[in-house]
Amino acid sequence: MRVVSLVPSLTEAVAVSAPGVLVGATNWCGHPADLDVTRVGGTKNPEVDRILTLSPDLVIANEEENREPDLSALRTAGVEVLVTEVRDVPQAFRELTRVLAACGVSARPRWLDEAEETWSALPVSSPRTTAVVPIWRRPWMVLGRDTFAGDVLARLGVDHLYATHEDRYPRVALDDLRAAAPDVVVLPDEPYRFTADDGPEAFPGLPCALVSGRHLTWYGPSLAEAPRVLAGALRAACR
């Protein structure tokens, strides 16, 4: 079977579960580190013609990360496209199972069992922590309603303050983010790469947790260690 992945987290999931199946992936697919496949552009601007030259049996995509015009072009060319939707942790496990089955994985991989067991065994967190979670600056954008990353944080005892906003990724003025007075500002390193020198300075007096975007926003093998890694970063920021 020949598969092209347009989603970094799904690329990692397929690569470790079905070695040799992937023939193409985006430029942003950085895991596994030794992945040796044809690169087909970005998630938002894949090179459709290059994908077609790979003669894939299947292209895997995501309704949020990839654009419908690109997926439609692939379908028009006769390529089967599987589109995932992931808005919370349980849905991530369901969609991962579906993707791996479509890629010919007959036996459930151990990492998937371990990840699901890890998340199902999380204790109820009390007291809870409030947060704002910027994902971009210039303009500032934050997590809003109905997001996978928001559900991940909620299961770790962190309630982000824009969870009921009408937009999934609202633009919010920096002054308003500061005025919301969260217990912590969660700054992931993707899609915007917040660092110790780029992000915390905008929130003087507020604890800032620099977290791995792969553990906050990816649904794949990283799910198994995400609770431990994220909880550690949050604890360090709130000391």
Side-chain angles (χ1 to χ4, degrees):
M1 187 170 196
R2 299 174 62 82
V3 176
V4 172
S5 173
L6 302 180
V7 185
S9 56
L10 296 179
T11 296
E12 182 179 17
V14 174
V16 302
S17 306
V21 165
L22 282 175
V23 295
T26 74
N27 300 341
W28 299 105
C29 294
H31 293 271
D34 60 352
L35 183 65
D36 183 17
V37 297
T38 298
R39 299 298 173 163
V40 296
T43 58
K44 302 297 185 186
N45 56 344
E47 299 174 34
V48 172
D49 290 342
R50 176 171 289 189
I51 294 173
L52 296 177
T53 65
L54 296 173
S55 301
D57 300 300
L58 178 68
V59 172
I60 50 179
N62 175 264
E63 50 89 27
E64 180 174 71
E65 291 199 51
N66 308 118
R67 302 184 316 126
E68 181 55 36
D70 299 315
L71 305 183
S72 294
L74 290 166
R75 293 190 187 97
T76 298
V79 177
E80 181 180 355
V81 180
L82 186 159
V83 181
T84 59
E85 178 182 307
V86 178
R87 303 293 177 88
D88 57 36
V89 172
Q91 191 176 30
F93 289 123
R94 293 195 298 271
E95 290 289 65
L96 282 164
T97 300
R98 184 167 73 102
V99 166
L100 294 178
C103 293
V105 179
S106 57
R108 186 177 172 89
R110 181 173 178 80
W111 67 260
L112 188 54
D113 285 334
E114 291 176 349
E116 197 155 9
E117 290 167 5
T118 297
W119 282 96
S120 65
L122 286 180
V124 176
S125 297
S126 180
R128 298 185 69 82
T129 300
T130 62
V132 294
V133 190
I135 59 163
W136 204 259
R137 67 183 302 176
R138 306 183 192 94
W140 287 93
M141 299 174 67
V142 299
L143 289 186
R145 64 168 180 84
D146 196 23
T147 66
F148 172 72
D151 187 59
V152 164
L153 290 172
R155 292 169 187 274
L156 297 176
V158 179
D159 299 316
H160 71 92
L161 296 179
Y162 292 89
T164 59
H165 196 283
E166 62 180 355
D167 297 327
R168 296 187 66 214
Y169 301 101
R171 295 185 180 188
V172 182
L174 180 57
D175 286 345
D176 291 336
L177 295 179
R178 293 168 175 159
D183 295 322
V184 63
V185 180
V186 178
L187 298 170
D189 60 11
E190 61 175 77
Y192 185 91
R193 187 173 180 79
F194 288 106
T195 67
D197 299 320
D198 185 356
E201 82 290 342
F203 301 94
L206 291 175
C208 291
L210 293 165
V211 303
S212 160
R214 177 169 170 260
H215 292 101
L216 179 62
T217 66
W218 286 34
Y219 32 92
S222 58
L223 279 170
E225 60 184 13
R228 174 181 57 80
V229 172
L230 293 172
L234 291 164
R235 283 196 302 271
C238 294
R239 285 173 182 164

